[in-house]
Amino acid sequence: MSIEKIDRVRLGQDGPEVGVQGFGAMGISEFYGDTDEAAARDTLEATVEAGVTLIDTADIYGQGANETFLAPFVAAHRDEIMLATKFSVERRADDEHYRGVRNDAPYIRQAVEASLRRLNVDVIDLYYMHRRDPGVPFSESVGAMGELVTAGKVRYLGLSEVTGAELREAHAVHPITAVQSEWSLFSRDVERSLVGAAADLGVGIVPYSPLGRGFLTGSFADASKDLAGSDFRKFQPRFTGDNAKANAALLEPVHKIAAAHGVTAAQVALAWVQQRAEVHGLRAVVPIPGTRKRARLIENTGATRLRLTGDELALLEPIAGEVKGDRYPDMSSTSTARE
């Protein structure tokens, strides 16, 4: 059975044309428990069939394993996809909990070569700074990223988890095509300053975790009870104990709207994110939900054809303000900490 292809949009003022929904590959290699690799490869093939062209990874996912896993798929579909990866979060083999942030030019040059090698490509379409080290000026970090564009190793530049002021500062050094940050019915921190700056500059926004790491779908109610031992959501404040119980109650209007349309809660949550472009006057909003199942991929792309009414949007509006718990146990490297 053929899959209906999604529409396309230009990512950023001078950026490439991509499907209006992308694909986050992180969960294939780490963080969400064990993976059936055959099913994951079939899901990747479904992205192409559905017109999902923006494929997102990072060098820290599985400590490089995610990029390596994607390489055969990328080789088979190189002209059909927009390949995005990220640098800056440094991990150590001898300490699984260590997360350092590096934005210095020598590290960037080293990181891009390693990603090119693992992905087995000559050029990365969209290269993101994954996290910001405020101690390194953008003149150095974004300047070094711009040199990669000049050298033909990268086509477009992106940032992740930055404030509006930081986006403006970086964009003055080299044009930024897209910014990736968490944005969902549960997480609207980006609306404080980033969204306005992106609208002014013509920068696209790529929301990660648009389904609240699965919580918005109703697939689990309390991570500590419902998820496997290796799942990192068990350690996120929003998804356990009293916070999880309170946040689950916030999903009632999501389920009500889903029932009215004959769709899933996930599709309502994704449709809400997609309509942020119109609400905020943004050039493009391209969420990157992740899944390891073909059926979920098809479900997610179906959300691009769902339009919520003004009354429905109003019903969903208060949710984020009532959410209990932070996005991460340690918020120090997020844009929220620097607002």
Side-chain angles (χ1 to χ4, degrees), residues 178-192:
V179 174
Q180 185 175 135
S181 284
E182 186 166 354
W183 200 6
S184 73
L185 283 168
F186 267 26
S187 300
R188 298 178 61 175
D189 312 28
V190 294
E191 295 174 27
R192 295 177 186 172

Side-chain angles (χ1 to χ4, degrees), residues 26 31-32 182 184-187 208-228 231-251 323-329:
M26 180 186 78
F31 303 111
Y32 293 108
E182 186 166 354
S184 73
L185 283 168
F186 267 26
S187 300
Y208 72 80
S209 298
L211 294 173
R213 303 194 186 281
F215 194 84
L216 289 167
T217 72
S219 61
F220 70 97
D222 187 324
S224 63
K225 299 175 181 178
D226 302 338
L227 302 178
D231 196 306
F232 89 125
R233 290 172 291 185
K234 296 178 67 172
F235 307 101
Q236 292 189 297
R238 290 184 172 175
F239 305 141
T240 58
D242 290 342
N243 285 348
K245 184 177 180 179
N247 292 337
L250 300 176
L251 299 179
V323 171
K324 305 299 182 184
D326 285 332
R327 294 192 280 131
Y328 294 99

